[in-house]
Amino acid sequence: MTAEYKEREIQKWVDMADRGEIALPSFQRSYVWERQRIDDYLTALFKDRPTGVFLVLATSGEPMFISRTLRGVDVGADSEVSELILDGQQRLTSLWQALRQKSAFEFYVRVRSLSAGDLSVVGVESWSKNSPRVAQLTEAKNAFQQNLVPITLLYESEEGQDERLWEWCEEVCDSRSPDSRRLHSEISKKLGVTLLNKRKLQYCILPPHTKPRVAIDIFVETNKSSAAIKMFDIVVALAKGKHEEELRDRIKEYYDNSPHARHYCDAEEERMIPEVGEWFLKIACLKAVDERCPNGLAPKQSNYQDALEIVFNSGAAEGARRLKSLEKGLDFALEFVARMGASTKRILPAWPVVWVIAALHEQFETIKRPDREGSARSFLASYAWSAFLTDRYEAQANDRLFEDLKGLRQCLGTINHRGDYDPEDLPRIFERSQYPLPTATNLEDPITWIGSRSRIGRALAVVVMSESPSDWVTDEKLDHSNVRSLEQTGKLQRHHIFPKGFLKGYVSNDEINHALNGVLLRESTNRWFSNKDPVDYLQTIVRNRKDLKEALLRKRVETHMVPYDDLISTGSVKSRFRRFIVSRAKLIASKLEQLAGS
């Protein structure tokens, strides 16, 4: 493979994009540049500064990757793609939209003095099309007096320049006079031709016989800003085109119809599809049972391609069934962890649990007797709590969860057959000598609460939410349905039980932000906390809520496994806080044993 470095005039770049000859591989992230980035890029162009090199993959015949046009380009079905942009999407899309009036902004080149004929470029400026500023600049004389030239008037396609720049110059000069012709000539030559249409942009082009894997590796290596790209994008790009289209469409349809998925991933489609797609691939690995892999595959990136091929190459009917099984399994798993208390992405402690339970869904459905189904559900819950609360999956997660999956299958089979399981079949995650649950003493040490990547901090929040506690002021039941509703509206917040301002100067920041000093409540409830002593804010709530007696408030507080007596105890701030942490650690440690088993 030999790459070539070439140059191409802007005029040619834009016209090729118009015709759909230049496109983007579907694994590219979405267009994200904001106005200031566009202004800076266009300024660099008009000041004749370096603007980077595009990375292009030439295509011959059918493109090796499913592609899409630049955002805003509308071409017919018969258009043929000759190049795919691997690096430079943001720059080329910004340029094309600015010149073709497809942006939400109007762009102007500011020069030193139009009236004096000094067309030295100061920079590019833009305003929203709906702004009063743009309405004012629509009148050519106003723009002229402010030394601004609309960029869209400067672009000349291969078919020739349109009349708009002529008309603009005539409006400025009041007629088709020598002055208007002179103004047109200067603007067209100095700005339009020299700095825009005939300005050459460099690009590196990879030949059409470049292997797909090599093209993607080069893309990842060179486009360091593509942090949003997921392994899913790469795997489906290497699959047959029909697989990619079908899988992406299926994921979109799944997301739109799932009552659970939207609570665990980004709503923006370009981010959602790769995110959910990678969940599908991991579950597909665990469920990829055929003659080549009778026990499935570890959910490693190196196995994604094989798992996808097993789904799609098993015949149309079986492939559709397997896809449906992935969707059902994922919904089952997300509902399962939600009912445990991990009802949103912010609270979910660990993802491996979801993939494993999703992979076990079909087997779980074969259990028909209600008592045995209940035993199986309790067994899976004990597994999930073990995964949330131990470090079993902190290292070598894919291999370990695959190993555990085999034991879980065996135990579920035995439960279905006789109602219980053989202890010797339990997966290693249940070996408490090797993977112990946190003790009260462990929990006393500062643990960062949710909002960070702290697995234990999130797990402790889930332990509390598993009991569907009550909001302290409104008495609203914080079950998985209400939590999701409050999260979506931004009305569920984590609060310091001993407020930050109250503790400041008495204990360290790590202690202040201890997971055990956190509680999830309605946003409005926090107004009662302020930076007050817990004794004071609890009394304030009772005093101002006529329908709320202290005994009832105590009950609500204790539904969060918060020791009420330690909130209202006497002593120094430091000693009271320490007593509270020790007491709550004991309460929660006892609950952990109950949930996950010993």
Side-chain angles (χ1 to χ4, degrees), residues 244-416:
E244 180 177 1
E245 273 191 302
E246 185 173 348
L247 191 54
R248 286 179 181 275
D249 290 345
R250 192 67 181 253
I251 289 168
K252 176 67 166 62
E253 184 180 349
Y254 164 75
Y255 176 84
D256 289 342
N257 295 319
S258 170
H260 307 291
R262 66 179 59 88
H263 301 288
Y264 295 94
C265 64
D266 198 301
E268 205 280 314
E269 189 172 315
E270 289 297 319
R271 294 185 178 88
M272 177 275 293
I273 289 179
E275 191 171 3
V276 177
E278 194 146 7
W279 304 346
F280 271 37
L281 290 174
K282 286 185 178 293
I283 300 164
C285 284
L286 296 172
K287 291 171 64 70
V289 178
D290 68 0
E291 61 277 3
R292 290 177 293 171
C293 42
N295 294 313
L297 297 165
K300 298 178 179 179
Q301 294 179 351
S302 58
N303 288 331
Y304 287 175
Q305 195 69 43
D306 289 337
L308 195 59
E309 289 300 316
I310 288 172
V311 170
F312 280 102
N313 293 343
S314 51
E318 178 60 14
R321 189 199 71 77
R322 292 189 183 202
L323 271 176
K324 191 65 180 174
S325 177
L326 290 177
E327 295 169 358
K328 284 184 174 180
L330 183 53
D331 258 355
F332 172 77
L334 293 177
E335 181 178 20
F336 194 95
V337 297
R339 291 187 179 278
M340 291 175 63
S343 48
T344 68
K345 181 178 183 177
R346 178 162 69 133
I347 308 173
L348 180 65
W351 275 100
V353 171
V354 174
W355 307 323
V356 170
I357 292 177
L360 292 169
H361 172 244
E362 277 189 297
Q363 184 179 2
F364 180 86
E365 280 199 319
T366 65
I367 304 173
K368 302 302 181 185
R369 285 182 50 167
D371 58 332
R372 293 180 183 178
E373 180 187 332
S375 296
R377 194 175 288 275
S378 295
F379 173 68
L380 288 180
S382 293
Y383 160 72
W385 285 117
S386 296
F388 290 163
L389 295 164
T390 72
D391 63 2
R392 168 70 171 159
Y393 300 142
E394 290 294 291
Q396 301 175 319
N398 293 321
D399 289 324
R400 288 180 175 182
L401 67 88
F402 183 49
E403 179 187 340
D404 289 345
L405 177 71
K406 298 171 190 175
L408 293 168
R409 281 180 178 148
Q410 182 66 38
C411 290
L412 284 180
T414 310
I415 289 172
N416 191 17

Side-chain angles (χ1 to χ4, degrees), residues 130-154:
N130 299 322
S131 68
R133 176 78 160 144
V134 167
Q136 180 200 45
L137 294 175
T138 300
E139 295 186 26
K141 288 185 178 181
N142 288 335
F144 178 84
Q145 288 167 2
Q146 296 175 52
N147 299 311
L148 295 170
V149 180
I151 283 181
T152 53
L153 303 184
L154 302 176

Side-chain angles (χ1 to χ4, degrees), residues 344-509:
T344 68
K345 181 178 183 177
R346 178 162 69 133
I347 308 173
L348 180 65
W351 275 100
V353 171
V354 174
W355 307 323
V356 170
I357 292 177
L360 292 169
H361 172 244
E362 277 189 297
Q363 184 179 2
F364 180 86
E365 280 199 319
T366 65
I367 304 173
K368 302 302 181 185
R369 285 182 50 167
D371 58 332
R372 293 180 183 178
E373 180 187 332
S375 296
R377 194 175 288 275
S378 295
F379 173 68
L380 288 180
S382 293
Y383 160 72
W385 285 117
S386 296
F388 290 163
L389 295 164
T390 72
D391 63 2
R392 168 70 171 159
Y393 300 142
E394 290 294 291
Q396 301 175 319
N398 293 321
D399 289 324
R400 288 180 175 182
L401 67 88
F402 183 49
E403 179 187 340
D404 289 345
L405 177 71
K406 298 171 190 175
L408 293 168
R409 281 180 178 148
Q410 182 66 38
C411 290
L412 284 180
T414 310
I415 289 172
N416 191 17
H417 178 65
R418 70 176 196 219
D420 59 4
Y421 54 83
D422 293 320
E424 59 266 26
D425 292 334
L426 283 172
R428 293 191 64 194
I429 195 169
F430 287 101
E431 292 180 10
R432 291 292 175 250
S433 59
Q434 188 150 3
Y435 302 106
L437 299 173
T439 64
T441 303
N442 297 146
L443 296 180
E444 289 173 21
D445 295 330
I447 300 166
T448 306
W449 64 359
I450 62 167
S452 72
R453 298 309 302 172
S454 168
R455 173 181 52 81
I456 291 294
R458 290 168 183 247
L460 297 185
V462 174
V463 169
V464 173
M465 302 312 286
S466 70
E467 296 293 292
S468 297
S470 300
D471 184 83
W472 295 6
V473 173
T474 67
D475 198 27
E476 185 174 4
K477 205 79 167 168
L478 298 176
D479 57 19
H480 75 280
S481 177
N482 272 336
V483 165
R484 285 177 168 179
S485 176
L486 291 169
E487 280 274 58
Q488 283 186 311
T489 56
K491 293 180 179 177
L492 184 74
Q493 292 188 354
R494 61 182 190 266
H495 303 299
H496 291 83
I497 300 171
F498 273 71
K500 199 171 185 176
F502 176 67
L503 290 177
K504 199 73 174 174
Y506 294 100
V507 298
S508 69
N509 283 336

Side-chain angles (χ1 to χ4, degrees), residues 8-22 41-42 45 54 70 73 75 83 91-102 151-152 154-158 196-199 201:
R8 179 183 293 152
E9 293 172 352
I10 287 178
Q11 180 184 67
K12 181 74 171 176
W13 282 104
V14 173
D15 286 352
M16 288 178 70
D18 279 341
R19 296 190 292 267
E21 294 171 16
I22 294 178
Y41 175 63
L42 295 175
L45 283 176
F54 293 104
L70 272 63
V73 175
V75 295
E83 294 177 355
R91 286 171 284 156
L92 187 56
T93 302
S94 298
L95 178 60
W96 182 86
Q97 288 190 352
L99 298 180
R100 286 311 205 185
Q101 289 190 300
K102 296 294 185 179
I151 283 181
T152 53
L154 302 176
Y155 173 64
E156 180 180 346
S157 71
E158 289 179 316
L196 184 63
N197 298 300
K198 298 304 179 183
R199 164 75 189 267
L201 303 180

